[in-house]
Amino acid sequence: MPLVNTAEIMNAARSANIGQGAFNVIHLESAEALIRGAELAQTPVILQISENCVAYHGGLEPVSLATLAAARNAAVPVAVHLDHAESEDLARAAVDLGFGSIMFDGAHLEYDDNVAATRRVAEYAHAAGVYVEAELGKVGGKDGAHAPGVRTDPVEAASFVGATGVDALAVAVGSSHAMLDRSAALDIELIGRIRAALDVPLVLHGSSGVSDENIVAAIEAGMTKINVSTHLNGFFTRAIRQYLEENPEVVDSRKYLARGREAMAAETARLLRLFAGRRP
């Protein structure tokens, strides 16, 4: 199955009124785990490489070329996406490298500056046939995202999409990045109002902090792309920790990384089935 453009996966999910999983790559083992999980679920997947991940690896190419190669060898449709790029240069570099989509995060900018920067990035990406996601309404740390007023306004969202030409919009509706528990309370009514105001798919960031039931409700209310990172990383890390506790003499890192990879793949498959409405 060749590497596919993100638009193909997103359009199919939206047409079917289901959720599409988009999961973050940290290193090659996580990319392999996410692809294996998608193969187990027989479901497409979007692999995300964040600006933080790029910084960790010392540049865009090392982790991206490995992820793109892994995606090309998958047995199911896989797209590769740049997540939370605050740098316009990084977004352009991902387009040039062959990513299927980019997310330009100008939420830290003033509204007019966000519009201008996002429009520039969108024009560059669209010229290469690359799908573009943006963010309106900051999805930040736990306190910030749950503070009063930190929500996306449907009218402003419609104006923003019209002014920038983006293909999908990440919105602030109560979730938060890097949560270690799944206690975030989503504003389902707001999701419905934003969905009614827009004709582009909505994206839920910070889904690691949201329960299965709330994610399903969000999808039913109009969410399409569901981003998960911390939750899956927890499965990877706990499996490695258990293996090392059981095998304190091991020195071959492949042995414990393989255990983490297996655990992440299993949970990836479960989430993809859940988002697609295929509950056990």
Side-chain angles (χ1 to χ4, degrees):
M1 178 67 66
L3 181 72
V4 301
N5 190 291
T6 306
E8 179 181 326
I9 293 177
M10 289 290 289
N11 291 341
R14 192 180 184 205
S15 295
N17 294 314
I18 61 174
Q20 173 59 55
F23 306 138
N24 281 61
V25 170
I26 306 298
H27 34 59
L28 180 57
E29 285 77 14
S30 57
E32 292 168 340
L34 299 175
I35 291 171
R36 180 57 183 152
E39 291 172 340
L40 289 170
Q42 284 297 291
T43 302
V45 69
I46 299 171
L47 304 185
Q48 305 196 138
I49 296 173
S50 71
E51 187 166 338
N52 287 337
C53 179
V54 170
Y56 171 77
H57 288 283
L60 180 64
E61 287 197 3
V63 65
S64 300
L65 293 177
T67 300
L68 288 163
R72 290 189 185 98
N73 288 317
V76 293
V78 179
V80 178
H81 171 81
L82 179 67
D83 187 36
H84 277 290
E86 297 186 1
S87 163
E88 292 184 50
D89 288 341
L90 180 61
R92 293 188 183 96
V95 170
D96 296 342
L97 204 58
F99 279 52
S101 56
I102 58 170
M103 187 253 180
F104 178 70
D105 183 357
H108 59 288
L109 301 172
E110 294 297 326
Y111 180 80
D112 289 343
D113 293 334
N114 187 2
V115 167
T118 303
R119 184 169 56 238
R120 286 193 297 269
V121 170
E123 288 172 352
Y124 188 89
H126 287 158
V130 173
Y131 193 87
V132 179
E133 176 185 329
E135 179 172 294
L136 187 65
K138 188 66 175 176
V139 182
K142 186 172 182 180
D143 292 335
H146 289 279
V150 183
R151 296 289 187 272
T152 298
D153 176 76
V155 175
E156 187 178 59
S159 176
F160 181 82
V161 170
T164 59
V166 297
D167 304 296
L169 189 68
V171 293
V173 292
S175 59
S176 181
H177 290 119
M179 287 183 66
L180 298 178
D181 60 52
R182 306 183 77 192
S183 62
L186 298 183
D187 191 332
I188 301 299
E189 187 271 338
L190 176 59
I191 293 171
R193 288 196 291 120
I194 298 172
R195 179 68 187 85
L198 301 180
D199 30 359
V200 299
L202 303 183
V203 182
L204 183 64
H205 283 229
S207 303
S208 291
V210 184
S211 68
D212 284 359
E213 292 73 18
N214 273 327
I215 290 176
V216 170
I219 292 168
E220 292 173 347
M223 281 290 175
T224 300
K225 180 168 173 275
I226 311 298
N227 288 15
V228 181
S229 180
T230 302
H231 175 76
L232 289 168
N233 290 339
F235 279 81
F236 190 93
T237 302
R238 286 190 295 272
I240 289 176
R241 184 177 292 120
Q242 180 179 352
Y243 184 90
L244 290 174
E245 288 173 351
E246 295 171 353
N247 302 274
E249 303 303 319
V250 70
V251 294
D252 185 344
S253 60
R254 291 172 297 182
K255 294 183 177 179
Y256 53 82
L257 289 173
R259 184 68 64 86
R261 187 171 58 186
E262 291 167 5
M264 180 181 268
E267 181 62 5
T268 295
R270 190 192 73 81
L271 289 177
L272 287 171
R273 293 187 188 104
L274 177 75
F275 300 167
R278 289 154 43 198
R279 289 196 173 196

